[in-house]
Amino acid sequence: NLTVLAPRDIGELKTMLRWTATHDGPCVIRYGRTSVDLSARYPSAETFTPGKWETLETGDDCTLLAVGSMVESAIAVRDMLAKQGVHARLVNASSVKPVDEALLHDIADKPVFTLEEHACTGGFGAAVCTFMAENHLPAPAKVFALPDAFITHGSRAILLDECGLSPEKIMADIINTLKQK
């Protein structure tokens, strides 16, 4: 089985690379163009287990499942949501495949939002939706991902904003979604 990993920062990338040396099977590591270091706020673990996600922050109103480069954005989203009175759990979903089945069962009672810098079609959000459907759990409230369309060239920040993936646009969309629940 293919293992697909997406590190949140340079520290987790190093841990994953060490893990791949002992892994017997195909593995893909998706990582962003820019180097991010979140270790001051979230020290990287020394070990890594595919299919076991890391809860970075707790919260009772909803859950943000962030993949790779979107963990940094999800931190900003969570901080903005807190100022609006919404307390979101923040999860570093570092293993795109396999998913953390136990955690998905645990969080199914609250709205779930997935965040990824990947195409919506066939991406992490789709994998979470499939798992939830197969296990008779509620689908994520919203999948934040790139459209399955051509995206022009430009700076990452501008393109993410145009695709609705800037922290400000994600936060506003989450607030609107929660109001409808």
Side-chain angles (χ1 to χ4, degrees):
N1 287 337
L2 175 67
T3 301
V4 181
L5 310 175
R8 66 182 163 122
D9 65 6
I10 193 71
E12 189 169 59
L13 174 61
K14 291 175 183 177
T15 302
M16 287 177 176
L17 286 171
R18 283 191 299 274
W19 175 83
T20 63
T22 63
H23 180 59
D24 185 26
C27 180
V28 173
I29 299 179
R30 293 180 4 197
Y31 56 92
R33 300 178 98 182
T34 58
S35 180
V36 176
D37 183 3
L38 302 174
S39 63
R41 187 165 176 176
Y42 305 107
S44 294
E46 292 297 318
T47 60
F48 171 75
T49 304
K52 296 295 176 203
W53 297 338
E54 174 187 23
T55 298
L56 299 175
E57 301 284 349
T58 60
D60 296 326
D61 298 324
C62 63
T63 299
L64 307 177
L65 299 177
V67 174
S69 60
M70 291 302 287
V71 172
E72 185 177 35
S73 296
I75 293 167
V77 169
R78 184 185 183 278
D79 292 346
M80 288 187 281
L81 287 170
K83 291 178 183 172
Q84 299 291 322
V86 176
H87 301 96
R89 177 189 296 202
L90 173 58
V91 175
N92 170 27
S94 57
S95 172
V96 174
K97 182 180 178 185
V99 298
D100 188 336
E101 297 179 5
L103 188 132
L104 288 174
H105 279 285
D106 289 345
I107 64 173
D109 63 331
K110 302 285 184 194
V112 173
F113 299 91
T114 67
L115 294 82
E116 65 186 300
E117 192 176 336
H118 186 275
C120 185
T121 305
F124 171 72
V128 171
C129 287
T130 299
F131 177 84
M132 299 302 246
E134 289 174 349
N135 289 276
H136 309 286
L137 300 169
K142 175 93 179 181
V143 172
F144 291 97
L146 298 171
D148 191 13
F150 176 76
I151 298 174
T152 187
H153 291 277
S155 76
R156 179 179 180 267
I158 290 172
L159 295 177
L160 288 177
D161 186 63
E162 287 179 3
C163 293
L165 296 179
S166 66
E168 296 79 13
K169 288 187 177 175
I170 292 172
M171 186 272 304
D173 207 346
I174 289 173
I175 293 289
N176 288 335
T177 302
L178 292 176
K179 284 180 183 176
Q180 296 172 10
K181 293 273 176 203

